[in-house]
Amino acid sequence: MAPPWGAEATPEGWLAGLPAERAEAVGRVRDLVNANLPEGWVERMAGSMIAWILPLETYPDTYNRQPLILASLVAQKNHNALYLMCAYVSEERTRRLEQRFRAAGKKIDMGKSCLRFKDYEDLAEEAVAETIRDSTVERYIADYEAGRAKAKS
């Protein structure tokens, strides 16, 4: 069985396997996330997606014994998706993301964490960058723990 957190694949190899037009859009989003990634998060492959995780060595106290995920990036059949778990764990961060999309004149196509896009230009670049930048390890852990405590009560 292959390791779940991508020792067998690389983000570069995964991108190289995508059709050129999809690789270009997804690669630009990857670059955006990496350029704004706070210290402590690590880029890894997780199955057929790129994921930015908090290693268990840093924070082992997760409910499922898997690393916390800041974001993940995938090329779906009909769209690309950036799963912003950092927005999902924070209502405030989700609200700011939505406001910044509107301020940029962009229509946000988002579920609970899944930000869907066909082309890079569909995204409000600075809104995504700020959401990633704002997700320091300390802030994310605090949001995660608050959510877990709320779920238990």
Side-chain angles (χ1 to χ4, degrees):
M1 176 177 241
W5 294 101
E8 77 290 346
T10 65
E12 294 80 9
W14 177 75
L15 284 169
L18 294 177
E21 67 281 355
R22 298 206 62 192
E24 192 271 333
V26 173
R28 287 181 67 190
V29 174
R30 176 186 176 226
D31 291 344
L32 178 66
V33 172
N34 281 328
N36 291 282
L37 195 64
E39 188 173 325
W41 296 101
V42 179
E43 181 185 45
R44 294 280 188 268
M45 289 303 299
S48 61
M49 65 178 70
I50 298 172
W52 291 270
I53 66 163
L54 185 60
L56 288 171
E57 298 80 41
T58 304
Y59 187 78
D61 193 25
T62 64
Y63 78 95
N64 62 359
R65 299 189 180 134
Q66 297 295 317
L68 293 178
I69 300 174
L70 173 77
S72 58
L73 183 60
V74 65
Q76 302 281 9
K77 181 179 179 181
N78 295 314
H79 64 273
N80 302 307
L82 178 62
Y83 289 86
L84 291 170
M85 296 307 294
C86 54
Y88 178 74
V89 299
S90 168
E91 289 179 19
E92 173 193 335
R93 208 170 292 119
T94 299
R95 218 174 10 262
R96 280 198 326 254
L97 178 67
E98 292 168 346
Q99 290 168 349
R100 293 197 64 140
F101 258 78
R102 281 193 300 276
K106 302 281 185 171
K107 182 179 183 231
I108 191 166
D109 182 5
M110 187 169 178
K112 289 190 182 234
S113 73
C114 176
L115 183 58
R116 292 173 287 275
F117 64 99
K118 291 234 184 226
D119 299 308
Y120 184 80
E121 290 72 26
D122 295 340
L123 299 175
E125 182 177 345
E126 187 50 37
V128 173
E130 179 201 22
T131 301
I132 298 296
R133 265 193 318 270
D134 189 45
S135 301
T136 63
V137 168
E138 296 79 15
R139 185 171 292 138
Y140 190 96
I141 289 172
D143 289 341
Y144 172 78
E145 289 176 349
R148 295 292 302 146
K150 187 176 177 182
K152 289 179 183 178
S153 60

